Amino acid sequence: MIFRRKASGKVVRHRPRCSFCGKERGEGGVQLVAGAGVYICSECVRVASEILRGHNPPAPAGA
Ligand SMILES: [Zn+2]
């Protein structure tokens, strides 16, 4: 989750990172796309796009 509600009721915002590979924005030049409580980076978007088009790319490095 992006937000964590503490006992004090204060909401702490965490640095957004890709929910799929865990990369942060700017890491390796990636951009993040925000979803409903999740993020996906440009790299994962590209991989997902290729999968949806029927390609079968190798697993991303570090996965
Ligand atoms: Zn990613």
Side-chain angles (χ1 to χ4, degrees):
M1 291 296 287
I2 309 304
F3 297 100
R4 174 172 294 167
R5 192 174 295 278
K6 289 191 167 183
S8 64
K10 185 178 180 183
V11 176
V12 178
R13 181 164 197 161
H14 294 266
R15 291 181 72 171
R17 54 171 57 226
C18 178
S19 302
F20 294 84
C21 70
K23 282 191 179 125
E24 291 186 1
R25 175 170 25 213
E27 189 176 336
V30 300
Q31 297 289 315
L32 286 179
V33 179
V38 297
Y39 288 90
I40 186 170
C41 75
S42 50
E43 196 169 303
C44 287
V45 166
R46 181 174 53 79
V47 172
S49 177
E50 290 182 6
I51 291 172
L52 289 175
R53 287 178 196 165
H55 295 289
N56 191 18

